[in-house]
Amino acid sequence: MSKKLYGCLVVLCLAAVVSGGCAKKDVVKPEEQTPATQVVPPPAPLSEGAKSTPAQTAQPVAETPAKEQAVAQETPQQGAAAQPAATALESALQKIYFNFDSADLSNEARSALSKNAELLAKQPGVSIRVEGNCDERGSDEYNLALGERRAKAARDYLVNLGVKPERISVISYGEEKPVDQGHDEAAWAKNRRDEFVIVK
Amino acid sequence: MKRIILLCLLLLVTPQLMGASDQYLDVTAPANKKQQIYLAPATTLSGPALPEVARELAELFLFDLNLAGPFSVAPAEAGSAGSDLVLKTAYGSSGGNLTIECRLFDPVLNRDVAAKRYTGSLKDLRRMGHAFSDEVLRVRTGQKGPFTGKIAYVSKVSGNKEVFVMDYDGFNTQRVTNNGAINLNPDFAPSGREIIYTSYKKGNPDLYRRELYTGVEARISARSGLNAMGSFSPDGNRIAVVLSKDGNSEIYLISREGKELARLTRTQAIDVSPAWSPDGNRIAFVSDRLGKPQVFVMNADGSDVKRLTTNGAYNVTPRWSPKGDRIAYARKDGNGFQIYAINPDGTQDTQLTNLGSNEHPRWSPDGRFIVFSSSRDGGEAIYVMRADGSAQSKVSRGKARDSHPTWSAAW
């Protein structure tokens, strides 16, 4: 061997003995059972700077009490299955559509909302969720907020027509739930919409 | 729990190296000639010849070091004539264990300017290779490379959007979420050990924090409306996030546990996509308060709001470079996006991409590269490029739609 090697400084870097689950699962109850495929194992240190001993110092994530949101917790299917009459109402409620990057209500949208308000007036026990959606052309981050603005525009209009505000919740799906997977104006126009879903 | 393989590292440091007398390359000077690196054929230290190991290492070094910028790497077949540096690799194996010795030899100085030996299991091969690529950048430029970092991203490979993690070059894909709902906008904690993301798994778009190594997940913000676009502060203690609990989308600071610390914006407009400056003092964000979405910058307490982008009608998803000198963002141009970078004072607004639609720029932790999603090849995939827009390279390998990448510090 060369002199170079002879003069080498040999640093033995012991990887901290990390037995993967140092953060014990019984410390914190995870929200979901996580199959092994979802655990990204910590890399054993390769570099000399391996002061970090990943899983050993990793703190268990504290569970934060979650605020319950009755409306958001329920799926439309559950609500609809429970009440056949509500299913009929849901399919009678008209979707409304928007221009690109706009939450302004067109004349057609106002007219549809007026009919929706009449239907809701006939079933005062029913609550709905307005779901705001966008087309794929905008920024997906910005569209989360735009979808919410669209949903709230419809909610506010319904409230002005006499629907009690506590009967209406809103959610935005941004551009994540297109009804038409196409990439042309016809598809985009269908995707820029509010949907009205019965929640109870 | 899996037992983690014990890894030892033997560091070979020549005495000359410790003097650190080498002149670093000025990687910012465009006229600098690239250093030619000759990739010598791998040799065996002990055990059988493993041609697939030799080939994988060679391909890895070709990709890493050609992407890096200061080098031009020639494969073994090209011969060593005219090279400034020779990269020599040797490997040995016994059972499932693998040892790799890497040397960067300077023929003029007639000595190794970097030399390391890595020991681990066979499956650590790529990480060992990337670790040496990081080291090559360190010894030639004074700053370590980012190639041992991971990229978290969102993929529709299973039909819905789930969060995944992969090596920066697209290998070793690992699924992080598996809840069947919509999962969005992953962001790494500065440590790289945790990510936050928004998930609709309980109906509402709530913010979750997850330990990658254990899979332990906690819902840290489940306020009415949006809990989205979470972004860890550079010190990891705070999260800038978009909440709409007070009427419309606004930017807030919350703690790691989700406690509200401050509300930063108060407008009737959309305020989204917060991005920290590396010193933690400023936050870039997107607002349509003047009509169309544009990038603004404010102090981290919400004061001193200034518009940043003035060109283009629709500018979104800003991300501050780790050195603080540039802000990358995406501009809508027709039906697609292109990535730009601009100085924090609004000067030197530069277009970096032009093929297909390109979105979601994020910096590598050393600031040398930008990772982004692009549709240039049909479906959306993850790409990397140098900060000046050169060497744009596809890294995600699946056919599925991959988007929203973010690059962690070294693992």
Side-chain angles (χ1 to χ4, degrees):
Chain A
M1 278 308 217
S2 70
K3 280 182 185 173
K4 247 173 273 166
L5 266 176
Y6 191 71
C8 283
L9 170 64
V10 180
V11 178
L12 182 65
C13 209
L14 262 190
V17 183
V18 187
S19 53
C22 277
K24 289 190 182 107
K25 291 218 168 167
D26 57 355
V27 176
V28 168
K29 189 166 172 265
E31 288 210 343
E32 61 180 48
Q33 283 303 104
T34 50
T37 53
Q38 289 167 251
V39 175
V40 183
L46 281 177
S47 76
E48 73 276 23
K51 291 184 283 286
S52 62
T53 54
Q56 200 168 49
T57 53
Q59 296 296 313
V61 178
E63 184 72 51
T64 307
K67 286 181 190 170
E68 286 304 314
Q69 294 163 63
V71 169
Q73 305 282 338
E74 265 180 72
T75 63
Q77 288 77 14
Q78 283 163 351
Q83 296 183 19
T87 310
L89 173 61
E90 186 169 300
S91 52
L93 292 172
Q94 294 181 34
K95 294 172 187 159
I96 61 170
Y97 298 92
F98 298 88
N99 288 325
F100 178 73
D101 192 21
S102 169
D104 294 342
L105 299 174
S106 64
N107 289 336
E108 292 84 353
R110 287 163 200 266
S111 157
L113 287 171
S114 298
K115 288 182 182 124
N116 288 350
E118 287 168 23
L119 290 167
L120 289 167
K122 288 175 190 158
Q123 296 199 45
V126 168
S127 290
I128 61 163
R129 177 173 64 227
V130 186
E131 301 180 345
N133 293 275
C134 305
D135 72 31
E136 64 178 0
R137 289 176 302 161
S139 155
D140 53 353
E141 296 189 5
Y142 175 82
N143 275 350
L144 281 176
L146 179 61
E148 186 169 69
R149 184 188 267 173
R150 286 176 176 163
K152 284 176 173 171
R155 178 198 62 188
D156 292 349
Y157 198 80
L158 290 172
V159 168
N160 279 335
L161 292 175
V163 184
K164 289 201 167 68
E166 56 269 24
R167 294 177 62 194
I168 312 173
S169 61
V170 297
I171 192 169
S172 171
Y173 290 114
E175 60 186 70
E176 309 300 335
K177 275 197 168 183
V179 286
D180 189 324
Q181 303 290 337
H183 306 292
D184 52 24
E185 181 50 45
W188 297 325
K190 279 183 220 160
N191 292 334
R192 294 188 300 264
R193 72 200 189 277
D194 278 347
E195 293 195 25
F196 302 85
V197 174
I198 308 296
V199 292
K200 66 172 183 187
Chain B
M1 262 304 175
K2 266 186 221 161
R3 181 174 156 70
I4 300 309
I5 294 134
L6 187 73
L7 263 185
C8 299
L9 162 71
L10 295 173
L11 241 187
L12 313 176
V13 185
T14 63
Q16 297 98 310
L17 256 183
M18 302 195 69
S21 56
D22 285 328
Q23 284 265 302
Y24 291 136
L25 294 173
D26 180 2
V27 290
T28 54
N32 265 351
K33 178 181 162 291
K34 283 179 187 287
Q35 298 249 306
Q36 305 288 321
I37 298 180
Y38 167 61
L39 213 51
T43 57
T44 50
L45 294 165
S46 62
L50 300 170
E52 65 277 18
V53 166
R55 190 177 54 245
E56 186 159 16
L57 264 185
E59 285 170 4
L60 179 149
F61 286 131
L62 269 175
F63 188 81
D64 284 4
L65 297 176
N66 277 325
L67 177 69
F71 313 114
S72 172
V73 186
E77 307 86 81
S80 63
S83 343
D84 303 300
L85 296 161
V86 180
L87 202 164
K88 303 173 180 176
T89 53
Y91 61 87
S93 66
S94 69
N97 291 326
L98 182 70
T99 297
I100 291 178
E101 231 176 70
C102 303
R103 297 165 183 281
L104 188 65
F105 178 74
D106 185 328
V108 175
L109 300 175
N110 193 30
R111 63 175 176 85
D112 293 336
V113 290
K116 291 223 170 193
R117 177 186 299 151
Y118 304 100
T119 304
S121 75
L122 267 170
K123 70 177 175 52
D124 291 316
L125 172 66
R126 299 196 66 85
R127 202 153 54 88
M128 297 177 187
H130 290 314
F132 194 68
S133 296
D134 284 358
E135 175 67 5
V136 168
L137 272 173
R138 190 187 67 77
V139 299
R140 299 312 284 175
T141 71
Q143 190 191 14
K144 182 178 170 299
F147 300 131
T148 44
K150 292 273 188 180
I151 289 173
Y153 62 106
V154 169
S155 178
K156 291 192 83 171
V157 67
S158 56
N160 59 304
K161 285 193 174 180
E162 302 273 9
V163 178
F164 287 73
V165 169
M166 64 182 180
D167 291 354
Y168 102 89
D169 57 359
F171 285 80
N172 294 321
T173 301
Q174 287 168 295
R175 178 190 277 268
V176 174
T177 61
N178 189 12
N179 55 42
I182 302 164
N183 300 280
L184 302 170
N185 303 355
D187 190 57
F188 275 106
S191 68
R193 297 172 197 169
E194 291 176 318
I195 54 169
I196 48 175
Y197 48 92
T198 293
S199 177
Y200 283 74
K201 64 186 266 190
K202 294 199 171 181
N204 196 60
D206 298 329
L207 189 69
Y208 293 79
R209 177 161 55 87
R210 187 186 190 100
E211 266 185 357
L212 286 170
Y213 303 160
T214 63
V216 173
E217 178 187 82
R219 188 164 64 156
I220 58 171
S221 184
R223 297 167 171 95
S224 172
L226 297 174
N227 301 265
M229 298 166 243
S231 177
F232 268 107
S233 63
D235 65 6
N237 292 328
R238 291 171 294 170
I239 295 168
V241 66
V242 174
L243 305 176
S244 59
K245 65 186 177 73
D246 293 322
N248 75 335
S249 61
E250 306 282 3
I251 295 167
Y252 298 77
L253 298 183
I254 61 174
S255 73
R256 287 169 40 81
E257 282 69 42
K259 182 173 168 284
E260 184 176 333
L261 303 174
R263 176 176 172 177
L264 303 186
T265 60
R266 291 173 190 280
T267 68
Q268 292 303 306
I270 286 173
D271 295 302
V272 290
S273 303
W276 295 85
S277 65
D279 61 9
N281 291 332
R282 305 275 284 162
I283 290 175
F285 65 102
V286 170
S287 178
D288 72 344
R289 59 187 65 187
L290 300 179
K292 290 286 169 186
Q294 292 290 347
V295 180
F296 291 74
V297 174
M298 64 183 165
N299 288 338
D301 63 0
S303 64
D304 194 25
V305 179
K306 291 193 174 103
R307 179 172 171 177
L308 178 67
T309 50
T310 50
N311 300 318
Y314 192 115
N315 296 310
V316 293
T317 58
R319 219 64 200 184
W320 222 301
S321 74
K323 295 189 183 97
D325 57 339
R326 299 286 275 168
I327 294 172
Y329 67 95
R331 173 178 303 171
K332 188 166 155 51
D333 167 21
N335 286 335
F337 287 86
Q338 298 303 337
I339 292 168
Y340 287 71
I342 190 170
N343 289 347
D345 65 1
T347 60
Q348 286 191 48
D349 196 2
T350 313
Q351 184 170 351
L352 302 180
T353 60
N354 54 31
L355 280 174
S357 183
N358 304 280
E359 270 188 275
H360 313 131
R362 296 280 193 126
W363 299 83
S364 63
D366 61 350
R368 283 189 177 95
F369 306 104
I370 292 172
V371 62
F372 58 102
S373 47
S374 177
S375 66
R376 64 187 64 181
D377 241 8
E380 228 177 346
I382 309 298
Y383 285 68
V384 296
M385 63 179 170
R386 298 185 197 123
D388 64 0
S390 59
Q392 299 183 16
S393 312
K394 185 176 182 176
V395 294
S396 73
R397 285 172 165 67
K399 298 277 182 206
R401 278 186 57 194
D402 300 331
S403 63
H404 261 290
T406 176
W407 198 324
S408 83
W411 268 40

